[in-house]
Amino acid sequence: MGGRTMEWAARANHLGGLPRKVVITAVGTFAKVVANLLNATTVHNGDTLIRLVRSRPAGVPLLTVSNHMSTLDDPVMWAFKGFPICDAKLARWVLAAEDICFKNTVLSYFFRIGV
């Protein structure tokens, strides 16, 4: 099987792409609840970021930099109003801590399909 790295799970065609879409939507929905209902969030230049994410050509990366204080901040900061949380093609890819995200087989699979 590929051990804990599970490269096969990160393939776009893994189970028809359904697991990736489910994970992206579930994490995005959770992040929207945290960012918009449980928090007071202020976003500066959000329209510009959304425009850049949606309009860049395929294969062209978009590098963003942020300063945050917890591992929960990464998914939550992308959940501001208007950002596409359910579109797996526009999902943001971020670095992940191996000791947190890949502790066991279940977490490894969850985070791998969300890549």
Side-chain angles (χ1 to χ4, degrees), residues 6-110:
M6 298 183 184
E7 290 90 0
W8 51 269
R11 294 186 192 124
N13 63 353
H14 171 63
L15 297 176
L18 185 62
R20 176 174 164 76
K21 291 174 186 170
V22 168
V23 166
I24 296 292
T25 301
V27 170
T29 302
F30 170 77
K32 283 276 189 194
V33 168
V34 171
N36 297 302
L37 298 179
L38 303 176
N39 200 0
T41 305
T42 302
V43 178
H44 300 279
N45 299 319
D47 293 336
T48 301
L49 179 60
I50 292 171
R51 182 178 44 78
L52 291 170
V53 168
R54 289 185 186 267
S55 67
R56 65 194 162 113
V60 174
L62 175 63
L63 180 64
T64 56
V65 179
S66 64
N67 185 9
H68 54 92
M69 299 184 65
S70 84
T71 53
L72 188 60
D73 289 347
D74 250 344
V76 171
M77 71 183 182
W78 296 109
F80 63 89
K81 186 177 181 182
F83 197 82
I85 61 162
C86 295
D87 189 342
K89 292 179 182 177
L90 296 178
R92 305 295 299 149
W93 182 88
V94 297
L95 297 174
E98 185 175 355
D99 60 327
I100 295 172
C101 297
F102 302 97
K103 276 185 173 180
N104 59 47
T105 304
V106 173
L107 288 176
S108 293
Y109 181 72
F110 178 82

